[in-house]
Amino acid sequence: DTGVSQDPRHKITKRGQNVTFRCDPISEHNRLYWYRQTLGQGPEFLTYFQNEAQLEKSRLLSDRFSAERPKGSFSTLEIQRTEQGDSAMYLCASSSGSSNTGELFFGEGSRLTVL
Amino acid sequence: AQSVSQHNHHVILSEAASLELGCNYSYGGTVNLFWYVQYPGQHLQLLLKYFSGDPLVKGIKGFEAEFIKSKFSFNLRKPSVQWSDTAEYFCAVMEGFQKLVFGTGTRLLVSP
């Protein structure tokens, strides 16, 4: 499968614990995005990388959230001291900067449940 | 910042009925508009997009959308829906350089 892959698909954790999600984009894509989706809402932009550079962060991304893309390939999203309000689906997407088609290719998401 | 409104949160249709899902974005100028679809248990995927040119855009699976600049709208249409069109549909507008702003989505249920 050559699409965007995310791991884990599901994570249940207790409030206060730290969690980390991983995203592997389509290999030739240099842009990588993280979105969050809660029930009844559309995906909300969290952050965006071009290669290893984090170019934009949403105000939704509090200081408990950190994202990295150290070698310009896979990315991780870490949430520290999780809260119940962090329960959501975390979506990763990638795109090719050279084509500029505007099409984002999404993974199947990582669902977080904070108890 | 851009915002997107989708007026119908849930739509139920019988097979062969016609479909129109509303989408409005908040402000004008040059806009790039998209419809994404999420089938049950699957990831979001692109249905169609508008960048420029003909305001009537055709996408996959018989879907089309019409960009009406004066109405800030980009409604999705299909003349005859099938059971397999049951999914959630999201309208989105590009903000800045490849950041998408999504609407809240419309859940479509097509009964056989």
Side-chain angles (χ1 to χ4, degrees), chain A residues 9 91 106-109, chain B residues 37-45 61:
Chain A
R9 295 287 309 280
L91 299 171
F106 282 86
E108 294 188 352
Chain B
V37 62
Q38 188 167 26
Y39 297 103
Q42 296 187 27
H43 58 276
L44 277 162
Q45 54 188 285
K61 303 185 180 185

Side-chain angles (χ1 to χ4, degrees), chain B residues 8 16 23 25 43 46 52 54 57 67 69 71 95 100 109:
Chain B
N8 315 98
C23 172
Y25 57 95
H43 58 276
L46 183 67
S52 62
D54 188 344
V57 179
F67 170 56
K69 189 173 183 178
K71 295 184 178 180
E95 181 173 83
L100 292 183
L109 174 63

Side-chain angles (χ1 to χ4, degrees), chain B residues 45-62:
Chain B
Q45 54 188 285
L46 183 67
L47 201 54
L48 49 79
K49 62 186 178 185
Y50 171 79
F51 267 40
S52 62
D54 188 344
L56 186 61
V57 179
K58 295 192 183 299
I60 61 171
K61 303 185 180 185

Side-chain angles (χ1 to χ4, degrees), chain A residues 31 33 35 42 56 95 101 104, chain B residues 36 51 97-100 103:
Chain A
R31 291 181 177 170
Y33 304 78
Y35 281 79
E56 189 171 348
S95 71
T101 64
L104 269 58
Chain B
Y36 276 78
F51 267 40
F97 196 46
Q98 285 211 349
K99 183 178 84 175
L100 292 183

Side-chain angles (χ1 to χ4, degrees), chain A residues 18-76:
Chain A
N18 299 342
V19 296
T20 299
F21 301 115
R22 177 182 169 121
C23 171
D24 288 90
I26 294 172
S27 58
E28 63 268 26
H29 285 179
N30 61 355
R31 291 181 177 170
L32 187 147
Y33 304 78
W34 285 98
Y35 281 79
R36 181 173 68 186
Q37 187 175 16
T38 53
L39 200 61
Q41 300 296 318
E44 297 173 294
F45 172 79
L46 293 179
T47 189
Y48 149 60
F49 291 84
Q50 179 151 330
N51 299 312
E52 66 276 9
Q54 188 174 20
L55 297 186
E56 189 171 348
K57 289 170 59 173
S58 165
R59 288 172 296 173
L60 293 174
L61 215 64
S62 76
D63 56 5
R64 296 185 297 105
F65 288 70
S66 61
E68 294 183 342
R69 195 183 182 196
K71 298 182 180 178
S73 55
F74 74 91
S75 175
T76 57

